[in-house]
Amino acid sequence: MSLSFSPPSAIDGDANFGFEPGAEPTGLACAWPSLVVDRRSFYAEPSPCPSVLLVTAHETERRVLGSLLRRERCILIDARSGTMALELLLSCRPDLVILDRDLGDMDGLECCRRIKTLRQSEFLPVLLVAAGISEEDEVLAIDAGADEYLSKPLHPQVFRARISALIRQKNAVDRLEEAEHILFALALTVERRDPGTAGHCQRLALYSVAFGMRLGLSKEQLLALHRGGYLHDIGKIVVPDAILYKPGKLTAEDWVVMRTHSARGEEICRPMRSLAPVLPIIRSHHERWNGSGYPDGLAGERIPLLARILQLADAFDALMSERPYKPAYTRKLTVQTLISEAGMGWRDAELTRLFIELPFDELKLAEPFVLGAEAGNDFDASVRNLQYHLAS
């Protein structure tokens, strides 16, 4: 099926967008020249062809499925074993994987399971193909992470319909990932506005995840902590620079504005359903054990555990770093301060005791490898390196 676009002959109403094909830009397009480029490319350029990783050890099936895929204008990536498929996924990003249950080197279910555990392919749709799928086989396929399953011999129309549906699903996921990337880029931009906080997000991700590992938290909780390290202060985008980077102490009026950042950060991230586990961290990382924190005055164990963990990492890094209002503390003074603040009821005393036992010197040496600092503090590289570290 091929699609073609033609520019509309008129825009609803009489609004002047200043765009006519082949004409000089006027109106809004004159003030925003990229509008012309964007609209021309939208109407003139076909959508990119989807790429499909076909994994099968059988030559006949490769030819038949490859022919069907090419008719659908798919770019074909060929893998003749599960091992080859997993290696290819480290260097390419297909839109769909079609996976034969009967592979030469491993069971297709195991290959599917491994695909879904990789960060770069955990949301990649997988179509599992097998001979004579029973109800038990369907359950096993779902448990392995397969998004769809078809029984051989394949019906061409059903095959094409499933491919189209799965690629639409992948496109929707890609749009969500793009929105997430924008949020993380925004969070890092907030941090980089202040040279004194360079690397703060990455260190918080490292410290809080390391502490979560020590506490035996699940991988889902560790990922939430990792994301929380980056997004916890995203709400500071609404705080004026005059307050955010004030060299002296903040006034009472300044603090009223500053304390809005955690709730505003939650508001910014709330529309992203994938960030739901991170919202309690963003909102509650400034609550205090004795109830004197903000924004909700939560006390004790009413403060979410992940927020208490990131709070400790945040306090540790802030004390160890030079800021406009203070010099960098020594490790000994930082630990003493954390213990003192726990005694005053600011922190969870038991968590504080466990936190200060972490081998921070070793973590500092491991930081470039775990957090991907060598890749320009890229969030994706950070997550990939973290998951590799957790799996090793």
Side-chain angles (χ1 to χ4, degrees):
M1 179 179 66
S2 61
L3 298 175
S4 61
F5 294 93
S6 299
S9 57
I11 304 292
D12 290 342
D14 298 322
N16 177 21
F17 284 84
F19 173 78
E20 289 295 337
E24 291 297 317
T26 60
L28 178 59
C30 187
W32 191 4
S34 64
L35 183 67
V36 176
V37 177
D38 291 344
R39 294 191 67 203
R40 280 175 178 160
S41 63
F42 177 79
Y43 291 119
E45 297 177 7
S47 57
C49 297
S51 59
V52 177
L53 175 59
L54 176 60
V55 190
T56 177
H58 306 288
E59 187 62 35
T60 301
E61 288 186 3
R62 184 178 299 105
R63 288 200 303 269
V64 172
L65 295 179
S67 177
L68 290 172
L69 291 168
R70 291 187 185 94
R71 289 179 192 174
E72 298 302 307
R73 300 178 61 202
C74 295
I75 299 171
L76 192 60
I77 306 170
D78 188 19
R80 297 167 187 253
S81 68
T83 302
M84 184 184 297
L86 295 170
E87 290 175 353
L88 283 170
L89 287 174
L90 297 176
S91 58
C92 69
R93 297 194 67 179
D95 297 295
L96 171 65
V97 175
I98 299 177
L99 183 62
D100 194 349
R101 170 75 186 268
D102 181 22
L103 298 175
D105 60 337
M106 69 175 71
D107 182 76
L109 295 175
E110 175 61 23
C111 185
C112 181
R113 199 172 289 111
R114 294 190 190 184
I115 289 172
K116 292 295 186 174
T117 59
L118 295 173
R119 161 67 183 174
Q120 59 267 40
S121 58
E122 62 179 325
F123 298 118
L124 180 61
V126 175
L127 171 60
L128 191 69
V129 178
I133 294 181
S134 65
E135 290 184 2
E136 182 181 356
D137 291 328
E138 290 184 8
V139 172
L140 292 173
I142 293 171
D143 287 343
D147 298 271
E148 282 286 0
Y149 35 84
L150 285 176
S151 179
K152 293 187 284 187
L154 299 175
H155 190 289
Q157 287 183 318
V158 174
F159 182 68
R160 287 195 292 268
R162 293 288 173 88
I163 288 174
S164 297
L166 289 170
I167 288 175
R168 285 197 302 271
Q169 172 187 321
K170 175 62 163 54
N171 290 337
V173 171
D174 284 348
R175 288 193 292 271
L176 290 175
E177 286 189 345
E178 287 171 6
E180 278 195 14
H181 277 284
I182 291 170
L183 285 178
F184 285 109
L186 180 61
L188 288 175
T189 300
V190 171
E191 176 194 89
R192 288 166 183 164
R193 286 162 64 197
D194 180 8
T197 59
H200 177 64
C201 290
Q202 289 82 1
R203 291 191 297 272
L204 257 62
L206 175 64
Y207 297 156
S208 58
V209 167
F211 189 35
M213 291 171 65
R214 177 68 63 91
L215 296 175
L217 301 186
S218 68
K219 288 189 176 182
E220 291 75 16
Q221 290 172 308
L222 296 179
L223 183 58
L225 284 170
H226 188 271
R227 288 174 159 178
Y230 281 80
L231 294 173
H232 69 291
D233 275 344
I234 193 172
K236 286 184 177 178
I237 195 74
V238 304
V239 179
D241 287 359
I243 295 176
L244 200 57
Y245 308 125
K246 191 172 185 177
K249 291 186 177 181
L250 299 183
T251 65
E253 292 78 12
D254 293 337
W255 271 112
V256 170
V257 177
M258 179 66 84
R259 286 180 177 136
T260 64
H261 83 271
S262 53
R264 294 300 297 274
E266 183 199 28
E267 291 172 11
I268 291 169
C269 296
R270 189 183 299 144
M272 297 295 301
R273 294 179 63 183
S274 61
L275 295 178
V278 189
L279 298 183
I281 299 174
I282 298 171
R283 184 177 184 88
S284 302
H285 71 281
H286 283 295
E287 300 287 359
R288 290 181 176 175
W289 189 254
N290 62 7
S292 64
Y294 63 89
D296 303 308
L298 300 180
E301 294 188 358
R302 290 185 60 202
I303 305 170
L305 173 62
L306 299 188
R308 282 181 270 154
I309 290 172
L310 189 122
Q311 178 193 85
L312 279 165
D314 193 11
F316 178 86
D317 190 66
L319 292 169
M320 292 285 289
S321 304
E322 183 178 354
R323 296 291 172 85
Y325 52 86
K326 59 170 279 298
Y329 285 15
T330 64
R331 168 76 182 280
K332 181 178 180 180
L333 182 56
T334 296
V335 169
Q336 290 175 346
T337 304
L338 289 177
I339 294 172
S340 174
E341 290 177 349
M344 292 188 293
W346 290 12
R347 319 256 183 252
D348 181 332
E350 180 61 19
L351 279 183
T352 301
R353 181 185 67 80
L354 296 171
F355 182 82
I356 62 178
E357 294 176 356
L358 284 175
F360 290 101
D361 295 335
E362 295 177 18
L363 289 175
K364 187 69 177 177
L365 294 173
E367 184 175 337
F369 305 101
V370 178
L371 288 179
E374 76 283 2
N377 294 330
D378 175 74
F379 176 73
D380 271 352
S382 177
V383 173
R384 285 195 299 271
N385 286 352
L386 173 66
Q387 291 196 330
Y388 176 80
H389 177 75
L390 292 177
S392 62

